[in-house]
Amino acid sequence: MANAKSQAPGKVGFVSLGCAKATVDSERILTELRVQGYDMSGQYDDADLVIVNTCGFIDDAVAESLEAIGEALDENGKVIVTGCLGARGDIVRDAYPNVLAVTGPHATQEVMEAVHTYLPPRHDPFQDVVPPGGLKLTPRHYAYLKISEGCNHRCSFCIIPQMRGDLVSRPAEEVLKEAEALVSAGVKELLVVSQDTSAYGVDLKYRSGFHGAQPVRSHIQDLTEALGRLGVWVRLHYVYPYPHVDNLVPLMADGLVLPYLDIPFQHGSRNVLKAMKRPAHAERVLERIHKWRRICPDITIRSTFIVGFPGETEGDFEELLEFLESAQIDRAGCFTYSDVEGAPANALEGQVPEAVKRERFEAFMETQAAISANRLAEKVGREMDVMVDEVYDGFIVGRSK
């Protein structure tokens, strides 16, 4: 009889949905699967079971996740569900009681326990099958680097803390060790992600650790400086505009990290921001944006906004458009508000009709498109470094700093 080492390894299919933080969760699960000898399959009918990493933030994401679970069950029959939707009560079990197991987000150990139950590992533990940087779902030249989990904010429209918990930061030395492994594996750009990048280290009280015999604090400024010394592009995402963010902009001006900030401002009206339980000082934010651009003229600012939030008046919306014009955001995304099960905003008065939400969305995007076009026009004629993502049909797709 063939022994366990000679048996074919189990094959696992994987569906990854949601944000960059969820992508990192998927990468960690995939890496652990390979470490334990499992093979990956890109086809439902070739897999012994399928893992679906879900998103549960807004209704559209819930629908997409449930559809993906249903498709995996129809095509394969053996499905393990993980991710944010798994943390939202019995939604998955009520829809699909025959899934094998359900876990919440950042639950690699729990997922692996479920895999072991339904597909016991068959592998040679002495064979190295994983590259130094782990398995990635991104192209080889860039990778997400997650520095913390969870969030301490209680925005009225958001249920992330309910699904992912309060802020839990990774020690700086652990983050830097992973970053070095990624760079050694050929990564040229590190995209720093978390739910609240600016708050990194608060829960650790900014304690110091040692990396390469050098002390390093678990603070976003210290971590950013250390990452910048690795010799690759470093891009910061999901940055809240805390006062100490001002200290990051000179690092960008000096070329240590990319002149790029991804900040979810969400709105420009004091009244709406207060209802959202967000910092309600748009005028101060504008002052700081102007200051950042004086220090680092090449800085690119990306953001996201919500229109049609309960209680949003025409005056509030006009304030938002005025904020856009004053801030001159380089790139912005917009969402129409929708209720999310468990969010306090669901109970707010003044629900905005869907038709009005759509009108405001279109007006927002028209305004922002003009701003983005003007900002890009200012770059015409300049020579810039670009990271090439792909080449196809004679076209080159890439990103600047």
Side-chain angles (χ1 to χ4, degrees):
M1 179 180 294
N3 61 31
K5 290 185 181 181
S6 64
Q7 295 179 27
K11 288 187 177 181
V12 179
F14 207 101
V15 178
S16 183
L17 305 173
C19 65
K21 282 84 71 179
T23 298
V24 175
D25 289 348
S26 294
E27 292 171 344
R28 290 176 178 171
I29 295 169
L30 288 166
T31 297
E32 190 60 30
L33 286 167
R34 291 297 290 133
V35 165
Q36 297 191 24
Y38 292 95
D39 279 345
M40 301 299 107
S41 174
Q43 304 294 327
Y44 286 122
D45 58 5
D46 187 47
D48 295 302
L49 61 79
V50 177
I51 299 171
V52 180
N53 189 6
T54 61
C55 178
F57 183 44
I58 59 177
D59 289 347
D60 286 348
V62 172
E64 181 185 20
S65 294
L66 290 174
E67 181 180 354
I69 296 167
E71 179 179 319
L73 282 170
D74 290 341
E75 298 294 331
N76 181 276
K78 296 181 179 180
V79 178
I80 295 170
V81 178
T82 186
C84 287
L85 187 59
R88 292 186 57 182
D90 297 323
I91 291 178
V92 175
R93 287 288 189 190
D94 289 345
Y96 301 109
N98 53 333
V99 296
L100 300 179
V102 180
T103 81
H106 53 89
T108 301
Q109 182 176 346
E110 291 90 335
V111 171
M112 293 308 302
E113 289 173 355
V115 172
H116 292 163
T117 298
Y118 298 100
L119 186 62
R122 305 187 295 269
H123 72 292
D124 182 350
F126 300 104
Q127 181 179 8
D128 184 7
V129 294
V130 179
L135 297 184
K136 297 297 169 187
L137 296 174
T138 53
R140 183 173 180 268
H141 62 284
Y142 71 84
Y144 293 111
L145 180 66
K146 184 157 61 171
I147 63 175
S148 66
E149 291 283 1
C151 182
N152 288 342
H153 292 286
R154 295 297 183 267
C155 301
S156 63
F157 57 85
C158 183
I159 58 171
I160 291 296
Q162 297 175 35
M163 296 188 291
R164 289 185 171 266
D166 288 335
L167 177 73
V168 179
S169 302
R170 300 172 62 194
E173 60 271 23
E174 179 182 312
V175 175
L176 290 169
K177 182 179 179 180
E178 180 182 351
E180 287 184 334
L182 291 170
V183 173
S184 296
V187 168
K188 303 300 182 185
E189 179 178 3
L190 297 170
L191 297 97
V192 177
V193 296
S194 67
Q195 203 61 46
D196 180 1
T197 297
S198 308
Y200 171 71
V202 168
D203 55 310
L204 300 177
K205 298 182 179 179
Y206 306 125
R207 69 170 176 79
S208 294
F210 284 89
H211 179 73
Q214 296 295 320
V216 58
R217 276 197 315 160
S218 294
H219 185 283
I220 189 58
Q221 181 176 349
D222 298 61
L223 180 64
T224 301
E225 291 175 352
L227 291 172
R229 290 193 287 268
L230 295 179
V232 296
W233 285 12
V234 177
R235 195 181 300 271
L236 303 178
H237 289 261
Y238 313 116
V239 177
Y240 281 71
Y242 301 145
H244 62 260
V245 172
D246 293 354
N247 298 327
L248 300 178
V249 179
L251 304 181
M252 299 175 184
D254 292 339
L256 193 64
V257 294
L258 296 186
Y260 180 97
L261 283 175
D262 182 332
I263 303 179
F265 292 122
Q266 305 297 9
H267 213 279
S269 161
R270 175 186 291 268
N271 293 334
V272 175
L273 288 168
K274 288 181 69 175
M276 289 179 169
K277 295 188 177 179
R278 302 278 296 182
H281 300 287
E283 65 281 359
R284 296 183 188 174
V285 170
L286 287 173
E287 291 174 4
R288 295 176 67 202
I289 290 174
H290 298 326
K291 177 183 176 182
W292 297 340
R293 288 200 168 116
R294 287 194 298 271
I295 297 171
C296 183
D298 286 335
I299 193 170
T300 293
I301 299 174
R302 181 190 178 277
S303 190
T304 51
F305 296 85
I306 298 173
V307 296
F309 192 79
E312 181 190 62
T313 65
E314 283 295 335
D316 293 325
F317 181 64
E318 288 300 321
E319 283 188 51
L320 171 56
L321 295 184
E322 291 170 4
F323 177 86
L324 286 180
E325 294 285 4
S326 298
Q328 291 289 293
I329 302 295
D330 295 270
R331 303 167 191 166
C334 181
F335 300 90
T336 56
Y337 171 80
S338 63
D339 285 344
V340 177
E341 184 179 347
N346 299 352
L348 294 177
E349 297 180 355
Q351 294 288 328
V352 178
E354 291 299 323
V356 175
K357 292 180 187 177
R358 175 53 53 179
E359 290 175 2
R360 292 177 181 173
F361 171 83
E362 292 174 354
F364 177 101
M365 295 307 296
E366 182 179 354
T367 300
Q368 180 57 44
I371 293 171
S372 295
N374 290 335
R375 297 286 297 173
L376 290 171
E378 295 173 0
K379 302 180 187 295
V380 174
R382 295 178 55 185
E383 185 175 306
M384 309 177 73
D385 292 331
V386 173
M387 186 80 71
V388 175
D389 285 331
E390 58 179 325
V391 179
Y392 68 95
D393 294 336
F395 291 92
I396 298 175
V397 179
R399 288 167 291 121
S400 66
K401 293 183 177 180

